[in-house]
Amino acid sequence: MKPVARYRGDFQWEGVAVEPYSSEEPQLRDVGRQVLAGADDGLRCELRYFEVQPGGHTRLERHRHAHAVVVLRGSGRALVGDEVWDLRPYDVVRVAPSTWHQLRADAAHPLGFLCMVDCERDRGTGPTPADLDRLRADPQRAAFIRL
Ligand code: MN
């Protein structure tokens, strides 16, 4: 890895491939993933850039590992735990272990964000029907969630 991956504009970096967010979940094709730094650089965490296309969303999930997110582009909203938050560039989102989370881009704008995560991590799980019942008990959360 070169020490500097030059920024090419439009939220892409030289030598960094844009990968699908999840090959197992084709409904999430609206999300691109770029690994900017990670284990190959001697880190025990990965720094990724994700971009959710307008109207798209990430997986509703929780896992034992945590995330630190910094919004770089566009606007959207995030469910973190029990609350839905508006997101703007440079907002920082802290997702604690075992916390439900989902990010959505606004209809008219992409949502691009850096996400730091442990290299060694559990895959995480989606909601059971009982989890969904509890999450949807709140109208704001019910309106936000996408499966
Ligand atoms: Mn996650």
Side-chain angles (χ1 to χ4, degrees), residues 119-138:
C119 287
E120 267 189 50
R121 57 185 182 268
D122 57 315
R123 179 158 195 305
T125 55
T128 64
D131 292 328
L132 271 180
D133 283 349
R134 197 193 63 76
L135 285 164
R136 286 175 168 154
D138 173 76

Side-chain angles (χ1 to χ4, degrees), residues 61 63 65 67 101:
E61 63 176 14
H63 35 59
H65 61 274
H67 292 305
H101 56 287

Side-chain angles (χ1 to χ4, degrees), residues 15-137:
V16 179
V18 182
E19 303 162 15
Y21 170 66
S22 166
S23 52
E24 292 152 44
E25 289 157 290
Q27 76 275 22
L28 299 177
R29 65 188 178 282
D30 290 345
V31 185
R33 172 179 177 272
Q34 299 178 70
V35 179
L36 302 180
D40 291 349
D41 308 291
L43 289 163
R44 283 187 251 176
C45 59
E46 280 182 2
L47 183 63
R48 299 92 50 88
Y49 175 75
F50 289 96
E51 195 164 285
V52 185
Q53 293 312 299
H57 60 86
T58 64
R59 187 162 81 112
L60 174 61
E61 63 176 14
R62 68 176 173 179
H63 35 59
R64 287 194 296 277
H65 61 274
H67 292 305
V69 168
V70 183
V71 177
L72 287 192
R73 173 183 206 179
S75 59
R77 287 180 294 160
L79 170 72
V80 185
D82 286 341
E83 279 190 74
V84 178
W85 301 80
D86 287 322
L87 296 180
R88 294 186 301 268
Y90 317 117
D91 286 345
V92 174
V93 181
R94 307 180 186 101
V95 179
S98 303
T99 302
W100 289 113
H101 56 287
Q102 181 168 50
L103 284 81
R104 280 177 60 188
D106 286 346
H109 302 280
L111 178 67
F113 55 91
L114 297 172
C115 177
M116 191 170 69
V117 70
D118 293 342
C119 287
E120 267 189 50
R121 57 185 182 268
D122 57 315
R123 179 158 195 305
T125 55
T128 64
D131 292 328
L132 271 180
D133 283 349
R134 197 193 63 76
L135 285 164
R136 286 175 168 154

Side-chain angles (χ1 to χ4, degrees), residues 1-16:
M1 292 283 184
K2 290 182 194 168
V4 175
R6 190 67 68 191
Y7 181 63
R8 299 195 311 193
D10 198 30
F11 295 88
Q12 291 187 29
W13 290 264
E14 275 179 13
V16 179

